[in-house]
Amino acid sequence: MLNSPFFLMIIKKEKNRLTVKGEFFSAEQILSSGQVFRFNPYKQGYLLYAGSHIAYLCQSGDETVIECSDEDYFYNYFDLNTDYRKITEKIKKYSFMQDALNAGRGIRILRQERLETLISFIISANNNIKRISNIIQKICLALGEKKEFNGIIYNAFPTLPQLSSADTGFFINAGAGYRAAYLTKTISALNNGFDLNLIADMDLSEARKSLMSLSGIGRKVCDCILLFSYYRQNVFPVDTWIEKVYNDYIECGDICRNKIADNFEKMFGNLSGYIQQYLFYYKRNKQEG
DNA sequence: GACCAGGTGAATA
DNA sequence: TATTCACATGGT
């Protein structure tokens, strides 16, 4: 049992199990916020796959039980050491954020693995989330190590050597389309001295310049990688949904996405990543309903 | 068929 | 520097 450092969230950490309580954790909201592509409904909850790990999330009321292969891994993964009450208190000051906050209060910024995030978001370009998930699942099935937890068989995300065994034809066959060539080029760069760990110590512009030198990584994919696997909270990835939001709330015009991202980042600073996630979730779900 | 989905890279001016 | 276009694929 941990002493929770904040009020509304009670966290219990036991072997292979986390218990989370409070308004700032929603399995449904986290999984459908577009950060993560490997999960599926299972029994009363969801199975979630991350790197070589697996978790079963089951939420009833405001309590979520997470049965998982590694409780320390998922404690960090779900960013449970961060007080989202403090963050949302600051965001509340922006009146136009009220609805988005109320709709997605249970969202958290995940701390995902670098290689998996990088490969996943190269695939995400000009694509939709269902297809992205299918493509990644095929890649994991074919290349990832087979694992077992509590009787559930699953595949880990492939390691770099495992990814390197695939050629462009394999990724086309997995459904990646024209992004297949981006993948093999970038995987090749990673095998030839490009060190993802060095990005963590660079300042933002240097990190961007470096990541964007890889094939298939432009400003938006780069910023998703920085936010979801390097926890750079001061980036504001701008995709088609966020562009709609900007046109709705800020100013409607023909401003390019990079400029929108720059403007949002100036407006919101270190709150950028959080605000981006609340808005993405809100806009995308409202559209579907 | 046209348009869309967590856009990028190359060509062009 | 900014603008324009082609690019796989599956769903609506």
Side-chain angles (χ1 to χ4, degrees), chain A residues 129-147:
Chain A
I129 290 177
K130 188 179 280 182
R131 280 199 72 235
I132 299 163
S133 301
N134 287 337
I135 295 163
I136 294 171
Q137 190 185 8
K138 282 181 190 167
I139 293 171
C140 292
L141 264 176
L143 303 178
E145 185 188 348
K146 186 164 279 189
K147 313 258 305 178

Side-chain angles (χ1 to χ4, degrees), chain A residues 93-153:
Chain A
K93 288 188 295 187
Y94 302 99
S95 57
F96 80 100
M97 284 297 298
Q98 290 304 326
D99 291 344
L101 258 186
N102 288 332
R105 193 175 301 277
I107 291 171
R108 308 182 76 83
I109 305 285
L110 300 178
R111 296 176 181 264
Q112 303 189 69
E113 290 183 32
R114 289 159 187 173
L115 180 62
E116 177 168 358
T117 309
L118 178 133
I119 296 295
S120 298
F121 276 92
I122 289 176
I123 294 167
S124 80
N126 197 25
N127 211 339
N128 62 64
I129 290 177
K130 188 179 280 182
R131 280 199 72 235
I132 299 163
S133 301
N134 287 337
I135 295 163
I136 294 171
Q137 190 185 8
K138 282 181 190 167
I139 293 171
C140 292
L141 264 176
L143 303 178
E145 185 188 348
K146 186 164 279 189
K147 313 258 305 178
E148 183 269 336
F149 174 71
N150 280 358
I152 298 166
I153 308 289

Side-chain angles (χ1 to χ4, degrees), chain A residues 107-224:
Chain A
I107 291 171
R108 308 182 76 83
I109 305 285
L110 300 178
R111 296 176 181 264
Q112 303 189 69
E113 290 183 32
R114 289 159 187 173
L115 180 62
E116 177 168 358
T117 309
L118 178 133
I119 296 295
S120 298
F121 276 92
I122 289 176
I123 294 167
S124 80
N126 197 25
N127 211 339
N128 62 64
I129 290 177
K130 188 179 280 182
R131 280 199 72 235
I132 299 163
S133 301
N134 287 337
I135 295 163
I136 294 171
Q137 190 185 8
K138 282 181 190 167
I139 293 171
C140 292
L141 264 176
L143 303 178
E145 185 188 348
K146 186 164 279 189
K147 313 258 305 178
E148 183 269 336
F149 174 71
N150 280 358
I152 298 166
I153 308 289
Y154 67 100
N155 286 76
F157 192 86
T159 62
L160 180 57
Q162 288 168 334
L163 287 169
S164 308
S165 70
D167 60 8
T168 304
F170 167 83
F171 290 117
I172 288 175
N173 196 251
Y178 63 89
R179 308 165 199 83
Y182 300 161
L183 291 171
T184 46
K185 275 188 203 169
T186 286
I187 289 164
S188 160
L190 295 177
N191 278 318
N192 286 291
F194 192 106
D195 185 353
L196 286 176
N197 294 322
L198 297 181
I199 303 290
D201 297 320
M202 297 178 183
D203 65 46
L204 182 56
S205 66
E206 200 182 353
R208 276 194 176 126
K209 192 178 165 194
S210 181
L211 277 175
M212 287 170 65
S213 72
L214 296 171
S215 181
I217 301 182
R219 168 70 179 266
K220 189 271 170 184
V221 167
C222 171
D223 284 357
C224 282

